[in-house]
Amino acid sequence: MATELLDESAKGVYVIAATPFTETGAVDFDSVDSLTEFYIDQGVHGMTVLGVMGEAPKLTDSEQTELMQRYLRRIDGRVPVLVGVSNPGIDNLASLSKASMDAGAAGVMIAGISGLKTDEQILGYFDKVMAKLDDATPVCLQDYPPTTTVYFSNGVINKLITDHPRIKMFKHEDCPGHRKLTALRNAPETQGVRRVSILTGNGGLYVPQELKRGADGIMTGFAFIGALVQVYELFKAGKVDEAEDLFDLYLPVIRHEQQIGFGLALRKETLRRFGALSCPLARAPGPAMDGDDIKELDGLFARLREKLQSSGQPVPNGI
Amino acid sequence: MATELLDESAKGVYVIAATPFTETGAVDFDSVDSLTEFYIDQGVHGMTVLGVMGEAPKLTDSEQTELMQRYLRRIDGRVPVLVGVSNPGIDNLASLSKASMDAGAAGVMIAGISGLKTDEQILGYFDKVMAKLDDATPVCLQDYPPTTTVYFSNGVINKLITDHPRIKMFKHEDCPGHRKLTALRNAPETQGVRRVSILTGNGGLYVPQELKRGADGIMTGFAFIGALVQVYELFKAGKVDEAEDLFDLYLPVIRHEQQIGFGLALRKETLRRFGALSCPLARAPGPAMDGDDIKELDGLFARLREKLQSSGQPVPNGI
Amino acid sequence: MATELLDESAKGVYVIAATPFTETGAVDFDSVDSLTEFYIDQGVHGMTVLGVMGEAPKLTDSEQTELMQRYLRRIDGRVPVLVGVSNPGIDNLASLSKASMDAGAAGVMIAGISGLKTDEQILGYFDKVMAKLDDATPVCLQDYPPTTTVYFSNGVINKLITDHPRIKMFKHEDCPGHRKLTALRNAPETQGVRRVSILTGNGGLYVPQELKRGADGIMTGFAFIGALVQVYELFKAGKVDEAEDLFDLYLPVIRHEQQIGFGLALRKETLRRFGALSCPLARAPGPAMDGDDIKELDGLFARLREKLQSSGQPVPNGI
Amino acid sequence: MATELLDESAKGVYVIAATPFTETGAVDFDSVDSLTEFYIDQGVHGMTVLGVMGEAPKLTDSEQTELMQRYLRRIDGRVPVLVGVSNPGIDNLASLSKASMDAGAAGVMIAGISGLKTDEQILGYFDKVMAKLDDATPVCLQDYPPTTTVYFSNGVINKLITDHPRIKMFKHEDCPGHRKLTALRNAPETQGVRRVSILTGNGGLYVPQELKRGADGIMTGFAFIGALVQVYELFKAGKVDEAEDLFDLYLPVIRHEQQIGFGLALRKETLRRFGALSCPLARAPGPAMDGDDIKELDGLFARLREKLQSSGQPVPNGI
């Protein structure tokens, strides 16, 4: 069953799905299924596959396609799915986009590519990209300077939104980025720009501040994704302090996972403890935990359990 | 009164001192005095002046010298003082080092300069630097890749420590950097490298993990520096969980301040609220807070007050 | 017919082969054949396919494989062929390497990947890569910091050569890099490092100086590749001044092509004029010439023709 | 005697003046005088002091001021002088600008500072800078991405020219940058932007192409600056082919000097051979030539002499 297409009203918590591998480095399709059920069970409002956290650049083209199709088939329309399609070649980007939409994706997510320096270059690149995409393909524009080395100014973002009606969502992940978020959120009022959905990243590190500044939700691979769903729901229900109290209980772990690059290993190990995937290995070259890292994680989880219990909050199984 | 020289046994919390300016952008020497008293009052074990957070590159040479002298005069040997002397020119670095030691500094802090890419280039640079410094000048080697764009491997750090006996301290601020810290800490045992003091940065974001991994202390400009002193003292007294409990109360604010670049504005505003300086402005080009930022900070401080009170912890004056 | 495997004695001019596309952006396999004949006809001593200049990252995996196979089939052992196999994922790198060797390649060329900063990280990466490659696969280690952002010190290069006997060639393309070249060339004598072949890049801009410093040859996509073959042969015959005289006639065009990124468009247009390929387009996102660029190229070629004629040198057909 | 202020009609060859040091690393003021006479004697149309090539960041503030004043006093209005005033702090930039104008400079040259990523950030920075400068101070806007890591789009440049009437000149040094140059040159016609002077850099590597595309002249530290003056004059006299013939004779040396970073050592050694300065050393950390480099330079100069002689061109004294 296909989901509805992404539109500007999208909101909530979109989890960036891990790509599970077996001990020998093959894509672990059984774990794709178990991960899907785990994420759905945590109450996520959407999923993003083949993101940076999904190790997409280390997959072959056919693995990318197969993984995307497996996720979509298993999700089966229960939540909308975005597919990360960024690629050094625009033709490759376009063909994966088409395959994704054909398989039932709600839209695609596209970041800038290395080498784009000025506003003109960024605008020119996306003009070329959009010209190759089907008009009916909704797009999430991804801002992630630490990895892409592409810096979007608000002027560029607003112009892209204006020039390309199929941009429905903006993934905000600049840092520091609070003021940028506020200005983008207000741009419909202050500048008459079309309002799009804004989800924020940075591993969830600033969720309460970002929701207060008007973000529509969060898109991250944080392993305790259900906690962010709870935070989001409390916030939406007007229980802002309760939301932040819960968030603060998880903040030591959020901060720990938000170690760029290494966080992938922490997340996959945590997902393994949850029973969501079988093998926590990242594909080479990728991070791996050593004994000290495991002990450190155990310590953080022990503290988390205790704090959750003493606050009357549910404790996730497995940690 | 001069302090003792920095040696390998240095430990505790070294605060990176702000450089206060007046409304018109002049160095505010009266606030240097009040900042000094504030920091000392918070129980810091040492101070670092003219660091990145101290806006050193925006001062003239003579302002740098005058500021350093004023701080040293006011501190008057109550705690050891390190002076940041990094400079594009090695002669300038050497002359500020000499002036600092003459004025009573405990040592100088030196980072790599832009353009150093390989281990060979880094080693070559520090050979040149050390050849220009007086033998008796203790050095803290500063690792801060986000700003310097220089990446120190453990091999380089250990070789620098071995080649240059006047390196007494390593300022650890790579991120992710936990495994690096552990390997450096263990290098005396595993590789027979001389043991030096290791203080960690990153705005304090990982203090409990870093202390557990063997760091000797913390060097940061975090405005609530007294809280880190408490955390450190509890940790040293073996009250590890109490230390981490206290740390976690401050973590939302620590995370908020640790927005690279913008954090300077947050810290100066916080110091102003403490009465530690008169005017929170950074020198141009520098960050400044807007109304949303102020409101956000107020909200975080209100929550902090409440959590401290309900935990029976003292609430800092002014927030 | 398979060529012999690459070994340390490799020398001469290895051309980096273009990847030709049709007007619609498909790989133009007929032009692969004509390009092959053109390059062979120019007297090249070897060829490198799927290099940066070959737009490899913009091809799909299956296009990469098919292109590599087509080139190898057409070349049919007349000259040794290296295949660029660099990839964000080591498994992908290994499988393209295997396919290339199976199809008759002489070896593979591997660069560092983005994110490798320190010597330790570089050595660790290549350890992982080599562990995945077949022992019998000869490797050319590629140094190209402007594109890879990976900086190899001589210490790292010599250690890689020592640790990994299958490294047979070093592609030198650091800039400025003359002193590095000399030190690498002398390392067998000064440090007892195994002697490998060294070919230089930078579009040929420094060929006479590099040959004098001991390079074994040149690897570049410069379109007038036959001229570099002549320069190389004259140099090898001891006619050093004649070699440099010829080089200097081409230097205005060499310099013009050596505009990083844009040079690809100039080279493909020049190859089109030679009749070596049908359509000069690069795949998106890629550079393209405008009317001013064409006029400028015409002017440079008119001058080249005239200077070649008045020096009694042959004038390439087509320009 | 003060020169006239820089205006939009500026043209010709502006040499970037070296900063000479003695063997002990002190500024060599006697050589400032001899360098001045050398440059004037070569027929330069203007001079730029305290540029990147002038090692300005390695001077103390007072050395910068003293050097600037010495140059201005010696030049004594014979040619217009620009002073490089870029600085991490805007107050420092402004005070050096004021001192320079007071001492008789024709204007100041300002580049972006590290950390400026987007068009908005660049425009914001220059707004702050211009607000601190005296209205009467003419400005040359410097574009030099390899060193500054700031990328100016044409949109940004034209907006800066429009917003800030005191910008009189644009120093073009992006690479590849030919198309950018053409678009900037045509902007007065195509977009109604005020016409400013455009001088080009890149060590002179593309001078004929740049003059044909409409550049008003060249600003570089190339040591054979008199040759570029000749090229420029021939070009202006309509002898375009003669200009390019002369340029091509020097191209092997131009290319050799244009090794970013290392070129400084080559230039200072060449200036020493000309008798223009006493000691070729750069201040630490700076490049230095070794025996191979000297031999290589000797070889290039021997060839240059021979080619100049056989072409009936004058041979510079000293090489």
Side-chain angles (χ1 to χ4, degrees):
Chain A
M1 189 183 98
T3 58
E4 307 220 338
L5 293 183
L6 184 75
D7 68 22
E8 292 86 346
S9 68
K11 54 180 188 274
V13 177
Y14 279 56
V15 69
I16 304 179
T19 296
F21 298 104
T22 65
E23 295 284 344
T24 62
V27 176
D28 174 0
F29 287 104
D30 287 343
S31 286
V32 169
D33 291 347
S34 54
L35 266 169
T36 299
E37 297 310 317
F38 170 77
Y39 290 137
I40 298 279
D41 200 51
Q42 295 293 308
V44 301
H45 307 91
M47 284 178 62
T48 303
V49 302
L50 296 177
V52 171
M53 145 100 187
E55 304 178 62
K58 294 184 281 187
L59 303 182
T60 64
D61 306 327
S62 54
E63 284 173 333
Q64 288 187 351
T65 303
E66 212 177 338
L67 183 85
M68 169 272 287
Q69 288 169 340
R70 178 72 168 239
Y71 259 123
L72 279 162
R73 212 157 47 229
R74 182 73 185 203
I75 296 165
D76 193 28
R78 289 180 281 175
V79 296
V81 178
L82 297 178
V83 180
V85 296
S86 299
N87 194 289
I90 291 178
D91 291 314
N92 294 350
L93 182 160
S95 67
L96 181 57
S97 295
K98 186 172 183 327
S100 300
M101 298 311 294
D102 287 350
V108 299
M109 183 163 75
I110 308 177
I113 56 167
S114 167
L116 302 177
K117 301 292 186 186
T118 67
D119 287 12
E120 288 174 12
Q121 289 168 350
I122 294 169
L123 294 171
Y125 174 73
F126 279 97
D127 283 350
K128 283 186 193 170
V129 166
M130 295 298 177
K132 290 267 188 173
L133 282 192
D134 192 288
D135 272 349
T137 303
V139 170
C140 169
L141 182 66
Q142 183 185 16
D143 191 15
Y144 190 31
T147 290
T148 62
T149 68
V150 179
Y151 292 82
F152 291 157
S153 67
N154 282 10
V156 157
I157 296 162
N158 288 328
K159 182 153 174 48
L160 287 171
I161 290 170
T162 302
D163 290 355
H164 303 292
R166 82 197 100 178
I167 296 178
K168 307 298 185 189
M169 180 185 278
F170 179 71
K171 165 82 185 287
H172 173 273
E173 200 156 3
D174 206 346
C175 182
H178 289 0
R179 194 175 297 171
K180 182 176 183 173
L181 172 59
T182 295
L184 285 173
R185 176 74 305 161
N186 294 341
E189 282 168 38
T190 58
Q191 300 175 56
V193 177
R194 179 169 51 93
R195 189 194 194 283
V196 301
S197 172
I198 303 179
L199 304 194
T200 64
N202 285 311
L205 197 58
Y206 306 104
V207 160
Q209 286 69 45
E210 290 165 341
L211 291 177
K212 287 176 190 167
R213 283 172 180 264
D216 296 301
I218 308 136
M219 189 192 293
T220 177
F222 180 52
F224 295 81
I225 196 71
L228 291 186
V229 172
Q230 278 182 272
V231 168
Y232 172 81
E233 300 289 5
L234 285 167
F235 190 89
K236 283 296 149 189
K239 301 175 179 174
V240 174
D241 268 321
E242 280 179 56
E244 198 153 359
D245 286 347
L246 178 60
F247 176 86
D248 284 354
L249 290 175
Y250 278 94
L251 184 52
V253 173
I254 291 175
R255 163 214 57 163
H256 190 65
E257 273 196 18
Q258 179 59 353
Q259 297 181 65
I260 293 183
F262 183 64
L264 175 64
L266 297 170
R267 287 172 175 179
K268 289 188 119 175
E269 167 62 13
T270 306
L271 291 169
R272 188 194 65 75
R273 295 187 183 196
F274 290 151
L277 52 73
S278 298
C279 161
L281 295 181
R283 215 175 233 193
M289 299 177 72
D290 67 12
D292 294 319
D293 300 329
I294 291 286
K295 197 175 133 199
E296 187 173 70
L297 196 68
D298 289 343
L300 282 161
F301 285 176
R303 286 183 55 84
L304 177 62
R305 274 197 310 272
E306 186 192 339
K307 301 300 171 191
L308 289 172
Q309 280 161 350
S310 66
S311 305
Q313 295 288 346
V315 178
N317 289 326
I319 64 163
Chain B
M1 188 183 98
T3 58
E4 307 219 339
L5 293 183
L6 183 75
D7 68 23
E8 292 86 345
S9 68
K11 54 179 189 275
V13 177
Y14 278 57
V15 69
I16 304 179
T19 296
F21 299 104
T22 66
E23 295 283 343
T24 62
V27 176
D28 175 0
F29 288 103
D30 287 342
S31 285
V32 169
D33 292 346
S34 54
L35 266 169
T36 299
E37 298 310 318
F38 170 77
Y39 290 137
I40 298 278
D41 200 51
Q42 296 293 309
V44 300
H45 306 91
M47 284 178 62
T48 303
V49 302
L50 295 176
V52 171
M53 144 100 188
E55 304 178 61
K58 294 184 282 187
L59 303 181
T60 64
D61 306 328
S62 54
E63 284 173 333
Q64 289 187 350
T65 303
E66 211 176 337
L67 182 85
M68 169 273 286
Q69 288 169 338
R70 179 72 169 240
Y71 259 122
L72 280 161
R73 212 156 50 227
R74 183 72 185 204
I75 296 165
D76 194 29
R78 289 179 282 175
V79 295
V81 178
L82 297 177
V83 180
V85 297
S86 299
N87 194 288
I90 292 177
D91 292 315
N92 294 349
L93 182 159
S95 68
L96 181 57
S97 295
K98 185 171 184 323
S100 300
M101 298 311 293
D102 288 350
V108 299
M109 183 164 74
I110 308 177
I113 58 168
S114 166
L116 301 176
K117 302 293 185 185
T118 66
D119 287 12
E120 289 173 11
Q121 289 168 348
I122 294 169
L123 295 170
Y125 174 73
F126 279 96
D127 282 350
K128 283 186 193 171
V129 165
M130 296 297 178
K132 290 266 188 172
L133 282 193
D134 192 287
D135 272 348
T137 304
V139 170
C140 169
L141 181 66
Q142 183 184 15
D143 191 15
Y144 190 30
T147 290
T148 61
T149 67
V150 178
Y151 293 81
F152 292 156
S153 67
N154 282 10
V156 157
I157 297 161
N158 288 329
K159 182 152 174 51
L160 287 171
I161 290 170
T162 301
D163 290 354
H164 303 292
R166 82 198 98 178
I167 296 179
K168 306 297 185 189
M169 179 185 279
F170 178 71
K171 165 81 185 287
H172 173 273
E173 200 156 2
D174 207 346
C175 182
H178 289 0
R179 194 174 299 171
K180 181 176 183 172
L181 172 59
T182 295
L184 285 174
R185 177 74 305 160
N186 294 341
E189 281 167 38
T190 59
Q191 300 174 56
V193 177
R194 179 169 51 93
R195 191 195 194 282
V196 300
S197 171
I198 302 179
L199 303 194
T200 64
N202 285 311
L205 197 59
Y206 306 106
V207 160
Q209 285 68 45
E210 291 165 341
L211 291 177
K212 286 175 190 167
R213 282 173 181 264
D216 296 302
I218 308 136
M219 189 191 294
T220 176
F222 180 53
F224 295 81
I225 197 70
L228 291 186
V229 172
Q230 279 181 272
V231 167
Y232 173 81
E233 301 288 6
L234 284 167
F235 191 89
K236 284 294 149 191
K239 301 176 180 174
V240 174
D241 268 322
E242 279 180 56
E244 197 154 359
D245 286 346
L246 179 60
F247 176 86
D248 284 353
L249 290 175
Y250 278 93
L251 184 52
V253 173
I254 290 174
R255 164 215 55 165
H256 190 66
E257 273 196 18
Q258 180 59 353
Q259 298 180 66
I260 294 183
F262 183 63
L264 175 63
L266 297 170
R267 287 171 174 179
K268 290 188 119 175
E269 168 61 15
T270 306
L271 291 169
R272 188 195 64 77
R273 295 187 183 196
F274 290 150
L277 52 72
S278 297
C279 161
L281 295 180
R283 217 175 232 192
M289 299 177 73
D290 68 13
D292 294 318
D293 301 328
I294 291 286
K295 199 177 132 199
E296 187 172 68
L297 195 69
D298 289 343
L300 283 160
F301 285 176
R303 286 184 54 85
L304 177 62
R305 275 197 310 272
E306 188 193 337
K307 302 298 172 193
L308 290 171
Q309 280 162 350
S310 66
S311 306
Q313 295 288 347
V315 179
N317 289 326
I319 65 162
Chain C
M1 189 183 97
T3 59
E4 307 218 340
L5 293 183
L6 183 76
D7 68 22
E8 291 87 343
S9 69
K11 54 178 188 275
V13 177
Y14 278 56
V15 69
I16 304 179
T19 296
F21 299 104
T22 65
E23 296 283 344
T24 61
V27 176
D28 175 0
F29 288 104
D30 287 342
S31 286
V32 168
D33 292 347
S34 55
L35 265 170
T36 299
E37 297 310 318
F38 170 78
Y39 289 138
I40 298 280
D41 200 51
Q42 295 293 307
V44 300
H45 306 90
M47 284 177 61
T48 304
V49 302
L50 295 178
V52 172
M53 145 103 186
E55 303 178 60
K58 294 184 282 187
L59 303 182
T60 64
D61 307 328
S62 54
E63 285 173 333
Q64 288 188 351
T65 303
E66 212 178 338
L67 182 86
M68 171 272 285
Q69 288 169 338
R70 178 72 168 238
Y71 258 123
L72 279 162
R73 211 156 51 227
R74 182 72 184 202
I75 296 164
D76 193 29
R78 289 179 283 176
V79 296
V81 179
L82 298 177
V83 180
V85 297
S86 299
N87 194 289
I90 292 179
D91 292 313
N92 294 350
L93 182 158
S95 68
L96 181 58
S97 294
K98 184 169 183 327
S100 299
M101 298 311 293
D102 288 349
V108 299
M109 183 163 75
I110 308 178
I113 58 167
S114 167
L116 302 177
K117 301 294 186 186
T118 67
D119 287 12
E120 287 174 12
Q121 289 168 348
I122 294 170
L123 294 171
Y125 174 73
F126 279 97
D127 282 350
K128 284 185 193 170
V129 166
M130 295 297 178
K132 290 267 189 172
L133 281 193
D134 191 286
D135 272 349
T137 303
V139 169
C140 169
L141 181 66
Q142 183 184 16
D143 190 16
Y144 190 30
T147 290
T148 60
T149 67
V150 178
Y151 292 81
F152 291 157
S153 67
N154 282 9
V156 158
I157 297 162
N158 288 329
K159 182 152 175 48
L160 287 171
I161 290 170
T162 301
D163 290 354
H164 303 291
R166 81 198 102 178
I167 296 179
K168 306 298 185 189
M169 180 184 278
F170 178 70
K171 165 82 185 288
H172 172 272
E173 200 156 3
D174 205 346
C175 183
H178 289 0
R179 192 173 299 171
K180 180 176 183 173
L181 172 58
T182 294
L184 285 174
R185 177 73 306 160
N186 295 341
E189 283 167 38
T190 58
Q191 299 175 56
V193 177
R194 179 170 51 94
R195 190 195 193 283
V196 300
S197 171
I198 303 179
L199 303 194
T200 65
N202 285 311
L205 197 59
Y206 306 105
V207 160
Q209 285 68 47
E210 290 165 340
L211 291 177
K212 287 175 189 167
R213 284 173 180 264
D216 296 301
I218 307 136
M219 189 192 294
T220 176
F222 181 52
F224 295 82
I225 196 72
L228 290 186
V229 172
Q230 278 182 273
V231 167
Y232 172 81
E233 300 288 5
L234 285 168
F235 190 89
K236 284 294 148 192
K239 300 175 180 177
V240 173
D241 267 323
E242 280 180 57
E244 196 153 359
D245 286 348
L246 179 61
F247 177 86
D248 284 355
L249 290 175
Y250 278 94
L251 184 51
V253 173
I254 290 173
R255 164 215 54 165
H256 190 65
E257 272 195 18
Q258 180 59 353
Q259 297 180 66
I260 293 183
F262 183 63
L264 175 64
L266 297 170
R267 287 173 175 178
K268 290 189 120 175
E269 167 61 14
T270 305
L271 292 169
R272 188 195 62 78
R273 294 187 184 197
F274 290 151
L277 52 72
S278 297
C279 162
L281 295 180
R283 216 174 232 193
M289 300 177 72
D290 68 13
D292 293 319
D293 300 329
I294 292 286
K295 199 175 133 198
E296 188 173 68
L297 195 69
D298 289 343
L300 283 161
F301 284 177
R303 285 183 55 84
L304 176 63
R305 276 197 310 273
E306 188 192 338
K307 302 300 173 192
L308 289 171
Q309 279 163 350
S310 68
S311 305
Q313 295 287 347
V315 177
N317 289 325
I319 65 163
Chain D
M1 188 184 97
T3 58
E4 307 217 341
L5 294 183
L6 183 76
D7 68 22
E8 291 87 344
S9 69
K11 54 179 188 274
V13 177
Y14 278 56
V15 69
I16 303 179
T19 295
F21 299 104
T22 65
E23 296 283 344
T24 61
V27 177
D28 175 0
F29 288 103
D30 288 342
S31 285
V32 168
D33 292 347
S34 55
L35 265 170
T36 299
E37 297 311 317
F38 170 77
Y39 289 137
I40 298 278
D41 200 50
Q42 296 293 308
V44 300
H45 305 90
M47 284 177 63
T48 303
V49 303
L50 295 177
V52 172
M53 144 102 188
E55 304 178 59
K58 293 183 283 187
L59 303 181
T60 64
D61 306 329
S62 54
E63 285 173 332
Q64 288 187 351
T65 304
E66 212 177 336
L67 182 86
M68 170 273 287
Q69 288 169 339
R70 179 71 168 241
Y71 259 123
L72 279 162
R73 211 154 52 227
R74 182 72 185 204
I75 296 164
D76 194 29
R78 288 180 284 176
V79 296
V81 178
L82 298 178
V83 180
V85 296
S86 299
N87 193 289
I90 292 178
D91 292 314
N92 294 350
L93 182 159
S95 68
L96 181 57
S97 295
K98 185 169 184 328
S100 300
M101 298 311 294
D102 287 350
V108 298
M109 184 163 74
I110 308 177
I113 56 167
S114 167
L116 302 176
K117 301 292 185 187
T118 67
D119 287 12
E120 287 174 12
Q121 289 168 349
I122 295 169
L123 294 171
Y125 174 73
F126 279 97
D127 282 350
K128 283 185 192 171
V129 166
M130 295 297 177
K132 290 268 190 172
L133 282 192
D134 191 286
D135 272 349
T137 303
V139 170
C140 169
L141 181 66
Q142 183 184 14
D143 191 15
Y144 190 30
T147 290
T148 60
T149 66
V150 179
Y151 292 81
F152 290 157
S153 67
N154 282 9
V156 157
I157 297 162
N158 288 329
K159 181 150 175 52
L160 287 172
I161 290 170
T162 301
D163 290 354
H164 303 291
R166 81 198 102 178
I167 295 178
K168 305 298 185 188
M169 180 185 278
F170 179 71
K171 166 81 185 287
H172 173 273
E173 200 156 3
D174 206 346
C175 182
H178 289 1
R179 193 174 298 172
K180 180 175 183 173
L181 172 59
T182 294
L184 284 174
R185 177 72 307 158
N186 295 342
E189 282 167 38
T190 58
Q191 300 175 56
V193 176
R194 178 169 52 93
R195 189 195 194 284
V196 301
S197 171
I198 303 178
L199 304 193
T200 64
N202 285 311
L205 197 60
Y206 307 104
V207 160
Q209 285 69 44
E210 290 165 339
L211 291 177
K212 286 175 190 167
R213 284 174 180 265
D216 296 301
I218 307 135
M219 188 191 295
T220 177
F222 181 52
F224 295 82
I225 196 71
L228 290 186
V229 172
Q230 278 181 272
V231 168
Y232 173 81
E233 300 289 4
L234 285 167
F235 190 89
K236 283 294 148 191
K239 300 175 179 175
V240 174
D241 269 321
E242 280 179 56
E244 196 154 0
D245 286 348
L246 179 60
F247 176 86
D248 285 353
L249 290 174
Y250 279 93
L251 184 52
V253 174
I254 291 173
R255 164 214 55 163
H256 190 66
E257 273 195 18
Q258 180 58 355
Q259 297 180 66
I260 293 182
F262 183 62
L264 175 64
L266 297 170
R267 288 173 174 178
K268 289 189 121 176
E269 167 62 13
T270 306
L271 291 169
R272 189 196 62 77
R273 294 186 184 196
F274 289 151
L277 52 72
S278 298
C279 162
L281 295 181
R283 215 173 234 193
M289 300 177 71
D290 67 14
D292 294 318
D293 301 328
I294 291 285
K295 199 176 133 199
E296 187 173 68
L297 195 70
D298 289 344
L300 282 161
F301 284 177
R303 286 184 54 85
L304 177 62
R305 276 197 309 272
E306 189 193 335
K307 302 300 173 192
L308 288 171
Q309 279 162 353
S310 67
S311 306
Q313 295 288 347
V315 178
N317 289 326
I319 66 162

